[in-house]
Amino acid sequence: NDWFSGTLPWMRINHFPGMFNALARKSRLARNLSRMQRMFPTEYQFLPETWVVPDDISDLEKKFDEAGMSKSIYIAKPDAGTQGRGIFLFN
């Protein structure tokens, strides 16, 4: 049951077993990168603030005033979206 046994030397692999649960979905990638940022803050200081909705909605709501507005512009990306579909900006 070796997954790689059927690959030939000239073939390229762009998906690896188990990566869908850890990296392929935006929400899971964000969670794993946030975890790395907590463990290694100096090395991962390049990461922007990231919220996975609905889990992090209370933290995200703190960035908005009582009228629901913010001075910052945020990028919303659907978890299962591809090739830019479903991405929008909001403040």
Side-chain angles (χ1 to χ4, degrees):
N1 194 1
D2 181 16
W3 188 80
F4 295 105
S5 64
T7 58
L8 301 175
W10 53 269
M11 293 179 171
R12 301 285 187 256
I13 300 169
N14 64 356
H15 295 282
F16 293 92
M19 289 295 105
F20 185 76
N21 289 332
L23 302 174
R25 299 297 284 228
K26 291 177 192 79
S27 61
R28 294 181 183 130
L29 177 62
R31 290 271 180 244
N32 286 322
L33 287 174
S34 292
R35 188 175 300 127
M36 293 300 290
Q37 191 174 38
R38 285 190 302 274
M39 293 173 65
F40 306 102
T42 304
E43 291 83 354
Y44 283 83
Q45 63 186 354
F46 64 90
L47 291 174
E49 283 187 280
T50 304
W51 301 271
V52 177
V53 177
D55 298 339
D56 300 330
I57 193 70
S58 61
D59 290 333
L60 179 59
E61 285 174 339
K62 294 174 186 173
K63 301 290 182 178
F64 295 84
D65 62 19
E66 298 80 29
M69 296 301 292
S70 174
K71 292 181 181 177
S72 299
I73 296 175
Y74 297 91
I75 304 170
K77 297 181 177 186
D79 193 36
T82 60
Q83 299 178 340
R85 279 176 260 166
I87 295 175
F88 62 93
L89 304 176
F90 69 99
N91 65 347

